[in-house]
């Protein structure tokens, strides 16, 4: 399998504080990777560097499909290939659900109005809320909004999807419906990097789990390796803390 | 709507009324005189700031003879009529000519000076008589005798345009710049003014037969008292001595400076009541075409300035937020300067100073440019606040989708920012429309200017009241709309 995303010696400083410390990572096409770790460990920072929402230090290198992730003309292409789903959904409140999903295909992919609408409706069907198409985001529940956000990211037909704690802002009874959608996506062969605190979910969907602490990747492996047989003390302590919760 | 309007009018009138009929100007001892200071040689300031001049000497002497104290207030020419009618001043001086119109609502003493109008130009600008002014722009003082004469004779001499100024100084400045070719005004003032200015020249006397007198409220006992004193002063040769003092030569023996004449009386002079004064239907009917013309200018100027201010403000705010650092700094300086500079000062600089570097704007353009520059600065700050109020996540979601800067702003950020900025933007629009009135100083015939002119010509403040009602009619709905929007957004925000 070919490598889709590659991070080499990626560092990130906020002033003198180092949020990422020598990150090296390869994500293969079709792989589903879950990222876990304590708060402040740099999980969000790492995945936000992949589509350059954060600028990483100049000595590092990130590529997506062999395109370098940096300011310039390729950036648009990179962002078109890498979708993102945020903790707080970040839907556009002044647009209907349908318009939210159609915007990028229309503007970036230059689809026709009909094409974009057909695509949007079929995606809404996939995430199970086709009947809400004409409503505005504020009229939907949190779980529904996050499913719209996933459909919006999918509308660009990206090679990879980044999730930053997609269920953390949801009421507990809505977590399941969103995880179900992501699980189904995993089966379709989309490459995904998922930052999550849902250990059970990570164990189910991930091909690989990464544990981060203090801006570093401390340990990685298959879910069985990492959850059942962690090698590092820090990993063990973290898992003990969250699983006893 | 209609009821609010009626109510607003009533409030204005209630506010104005106490200043008018009930106001007791001065004590019994003190006479309050209003004078358009700067009107040489009649009333002006010497280097010590003392008020001096022909008419100042005259009223001081008259007060002395009546055994009364005197206090002199500086009132612009256009304000003198309302000031007298409202009783804020007892006597108005400012080389005011006696006219039929004015006599309908004012009283005058017997005249003490026979005057004509005159044409003043810059030497060597090719204008040597009124005939040379065909197709040219002439300057006058708003509502003055010169204004009335020029208006009546515009067709005959083919003046391209009559520009109305708020006094001699700004009018002569524009004559000197060459923006207008001649200034039509009282001959004695201009002879005095050009005396020590070799580049200026009074080229023609315009016989209008004006006679200057002291103006007072209608049929007050003070009128005949002062009139009697003037007769005495003429007998004693005092007034002729003033003539010699201020003009260097004595007056001709047949003029009203020397001869005692009758007090002028109105043909149809009734004592005017409140309604005749402030809500005079006849005056309104006569002057409303002027007001409508002014209104159109005001709306044109307001709309143009608002729209170009919006465009400028939007561009500035985007530069301020997203451009390279040095550009941001420049724009910040621009915004700070244009939000602190008084519009009036900017207007005067643009209109009167720029011609010296070869940039000669018409009154309308000068006003539009000034209003746009200032409105753009305010709008920029409003837009910036609006854009900054949009959550960071909206920018990030747009970027993550690969939307370019143009689409991010156009499709996502600005549509949301607009809602936030509508109330402050509307307030800014209201300010711009109100500020158009400042364009009077550059002789632009906006609504307020037209109203002041109409007021001076008719010697009645009805046009001013009408103008106020017109301003209210289109600003009040905007004001009410903004408060409604603000209330609604507040409620939505609270949810
Ligand atoms: N803009 C910023 N300026 C300074 N420090 C920052 C900034 N953004 C993040 N940090 C710091 O960088 C570190 C990593 O933050 P990050 O958000 O990546 O953590 P995280 O692993 O996603 O945590 P959480 O689970 O709480 O979301 C934290 O210590 C955080 O305080
Ligand atoms: Mg995070």
């Amino acid at each position: 399998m070919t490598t889709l995303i590659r991070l080499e010696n990626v560092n990130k400083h906020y002033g003198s504080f180092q949020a990422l410390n020598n990150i090296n990572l390869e994500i293969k096409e079709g792989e589903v990777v879950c990222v876990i770790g304590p708060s402040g460990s740099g999980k969000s920072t790492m995945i936000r560097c992949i589509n350059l929402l954060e600028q990483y230090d100049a000595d590092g290198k990130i590529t997506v499909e062999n395109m370098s992730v940096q300011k310039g003309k390729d950036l648009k292409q990179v962002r078109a290939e890498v979708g993102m789903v945020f903790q707080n959904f970040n839907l556009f409140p002044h647009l209907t659900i349908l318009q939210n999903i159609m915007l990028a295909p229309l503007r970036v992919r230059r689809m026709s109005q009909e094409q974009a609408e057909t695509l949007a409706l079929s995606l809404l069907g996939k995430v199970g809320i086709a009947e809400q198409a004409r409503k505005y985001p504020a009229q939907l529940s949190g779980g529904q909004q996050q499913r719209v956000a996933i459909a919006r990211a999918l509308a660009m037909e990206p090679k990879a999807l980044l999730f930053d704690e997609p269920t953390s802002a949801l009421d507990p009874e809505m977590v399941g419906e969103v995880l179900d959608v992501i699980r189904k996506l995993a089966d379709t062969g989309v490459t995904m990097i998922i930052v999550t605190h849902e250990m059970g979910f990570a164990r189910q969907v991930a091909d690989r789990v990464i544990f981060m602490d203090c801006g570093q990747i401390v340990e990685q492996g298959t879910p069985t390796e990492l959850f059942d047989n962690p090698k590092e003390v820090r990993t063990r302590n973290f898992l003990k803390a969250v699983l006893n919760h | 709507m209609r009821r609010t309007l009626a109510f607003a009018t009533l409030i204005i009138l209630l506010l104005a009324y106490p200043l008018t009929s009930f106001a007791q100007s001065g004590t019994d001892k003190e006479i309050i005189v209003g004078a358009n200071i700067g009107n040489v040689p009649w009333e002006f300031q010497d280097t010590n700031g003392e008020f001096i001049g022909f008419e100042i000497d005259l009223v001081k002497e008259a007060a002395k003879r009546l055994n009364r104290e005197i206090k002199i207030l500086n009132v612009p020419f256009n304000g003198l009529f309302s000031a007298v009618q409202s009783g804020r001043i007892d006597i108005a001086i400012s080389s005011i000519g006696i006219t039929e119109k004015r006599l309908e609502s004012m009283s005058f003493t017997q005249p003490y000076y026979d005057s004509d109008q005159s044409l003043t130009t810059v030497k060597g600008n090719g204008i040597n008589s009124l005939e040379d002014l065909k197709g040219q722009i002439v300057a006058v003082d708003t509502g003055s005798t010169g204004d009335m004469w020029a208006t009546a004779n515009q067709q005959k001499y083919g003046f391209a345009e009559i520009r109305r100024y708020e006094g001699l100084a700004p009018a002569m400045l524009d004559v000197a710049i060459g923006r207008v070719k001649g200034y039509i005004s009282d001959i004695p003032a201009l002879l005095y003014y050009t005396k020590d200015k070799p580049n200026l020249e009074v080229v023609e006397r315009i016989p209008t037969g004006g006679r200057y007198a002291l103006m007072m409220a209608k049929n007050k006992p003070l009128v005949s008292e002062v009139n009697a004193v003037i007769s005495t002063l003429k007998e004693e040769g005092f007034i002729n001595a003033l003539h010699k003092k201020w003009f260097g030569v004595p007056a001709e023996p047949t003029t009203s400076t020397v001869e005692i004449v009758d007090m002028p009386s109105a043909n149809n002079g009734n004592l005017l009541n409140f309604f005749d004064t402030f809500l005079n239907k006849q005056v309104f009917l006569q002057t409303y075409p002027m007001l409508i013309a002014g209104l159109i200018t005001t709306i044109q100027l307001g709309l143009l300035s608002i729209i170009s201010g919006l465009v400028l403000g939007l561009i500035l705010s985007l530069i301020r937020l997203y451009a390279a650092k040095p550009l941001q700094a420049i724009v910040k300086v621009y915004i700070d300067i244009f939000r602190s500079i008084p519009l009036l000062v900017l207007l005067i600089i643009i209109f009167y100073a720029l011609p010296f570097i070869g940039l000669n704007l018409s009154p309308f353009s000068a006003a539009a440019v000034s209003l746009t520059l200032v409105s753009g600065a305010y709008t920029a700050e409003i837009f910036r606040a609006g854009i900054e109020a949009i959550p960071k996540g909206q920018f990030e979601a747009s970027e993550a989708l690969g939307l370019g800067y143009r689409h991010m702003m156009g499709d996502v950020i600005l549509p949301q920012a607009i809602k936030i900025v509508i109330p402050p933007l509307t307030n800014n629009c209201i300010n711009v429309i109100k500020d158009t009135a400042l364009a009077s100083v550059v002789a632009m015939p906006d609504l307020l200017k037209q109203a002041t002119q109409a007021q001076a010509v008719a010697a009645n403040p009805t046009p001013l009241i009408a103008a106020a009602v017109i301003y209210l009619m289109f600003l009040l709905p905007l004001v009410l709309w903004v408060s409604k929007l603000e209330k609604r957004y507040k409620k939505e925000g609270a949810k």
Side-chain angles (χ1 to χ4, degrees), chain A residues 43-45 87 164-165 195:
Chain A
K43 306 181 295 292
S44 300
T45 308
Q87 183 173 343
D164 192 357
E165 301 192 26
V195 175

Side-chain angles (χ1 to χ4, degrees), chain B residues 28-43:
Chain B
D28 223 20
K29 278 200 102 60
E30 197 178 47
I31 295 178
I32 300 183
V33 175
N36 176 25
I37 299 297
N39 179 31
V40 292
W42 305 102
E43 42 270 319

